[in-house]
Amino acid sequence: QNRRKAPEQRRQYPQRNMIFRGLALFAALGVSSLSVASATTTDPTGTDADDQKILRIPLHKRSKHEMVAQYLKKERDFLLSKLDGAVETSESMGLPVVAGAVQRRTAAALRGSGDDNDGGKDENVIIKDYANAQYYGTVHIGEPEQEFTVIWDTGSSDLWVPRKGCQNCGYCLPFTENTSVCKDKYDSTQSTDFEEDGSDFAIQYGSGSVTGFFSKDTVTLAQDIAVKSQKFAEVNDALGMGIGYVMGKFDGILGLAFD
């Protein structure tokens, strides 16, 4: 009889059973949430265990002037170590100053000329810097000389300048006549040393391309270092260089990676 009454009692109190089950589920969820909260709680200092394992090193950016000055000092010190002679100390700068013959030999070593260059001449080429992006100086072509401003480029091996009649090679207008927008152009008819070559010339730089043809003429570097029958390119179209060439401080490019 008792077994027969049990199902009847369960049928009489269905709501009570549901309440008990709900309370049990709620208690289980509460315990799990507390365990998760305790696992993610950080210490009062605001750093957890993972942060304490990270080694943080502060970085400070060095200026370009400081880096260049340090490089030049190392280069100078290296040259001094290779040279013989007396070394004086400058009280004003706190750097070693080379005296007498050693000073001349140091200057020659820096230029790659002078007493240590098989009787070469001591001459200078002034290179100007524009925004750490363009390093330019002058070169002369022809006889009589025609002057051009060129990029002294360590990444190419060709010398080129715009020729008279070049397309897309700057704009010479009344208000741009004395600016870099108006490019100086080579005129072969004005040079008595001109030699015709005529082979095609084309080169691709990271900033664009130029096209033209090769010629030969006297190229003069520094004050009077003249190279007869030097092969160079007359550019007749510089459209590929775009606005960077038009607004640039140069007429052409002198590649220093000579063939």
Side-chain angles (χ1 to χ4, degrees), residues 134 148-151 160-163 166-171 179-186 205 207-210 234-253:
Q134 299 176 16
F148 300 94
T149 301
V150 294
I151 296 288
W160 66 265
V161 293
R163 66 182 298 267
C166 176
Q167 299 177 359
N168 307 301
C169 295
Y171 302 96
T179 68
S180 59
V181 175
C182 181
K183 308 299 182 183
D184 293 319
K185 299 176 177 64
Y186 173 76
Y205 300 98
S207 55
S209 61
V210 295
E234 297 184 50
V235 165
N236 53 26
D237 193 349
L239 178 63
M241 297 284 281
I243 192 66
Y245 174 66
V246 175
M247 302 303 296
K249 302 285 186 180
F250 60 97
D251 304 313
I253 293 179

Side-chain angles (χ1 to χ4, degrees), residues 140-146 148 161-164 186-199 213-219 227-235:
H140 299 86
I141 302 177
E143 182 59 44
E145 297 177 347
Q146 301 175 43
F148 300 94
V161 293
R163 66 182 298 267
K164 184 178 180 181
Y186 173 76
D187 186 355
S188 61
T189 63
Q190 300 299 313
S191 176
T192 58
D193 289 348
F194 169 75
E195 301 176 39
E196 186 176 353
D197 183 291
S199 55
F213 55 86
F214 283 105
S215 297
K216 293 181 181 179
D217 208 331
T218 299
V219 176
V227 183
K228 298 289 186 179
S229 299
Q230 173 61 48
K231 193 174 183 178
F232 73 101
E234 297 184 50
V235 165

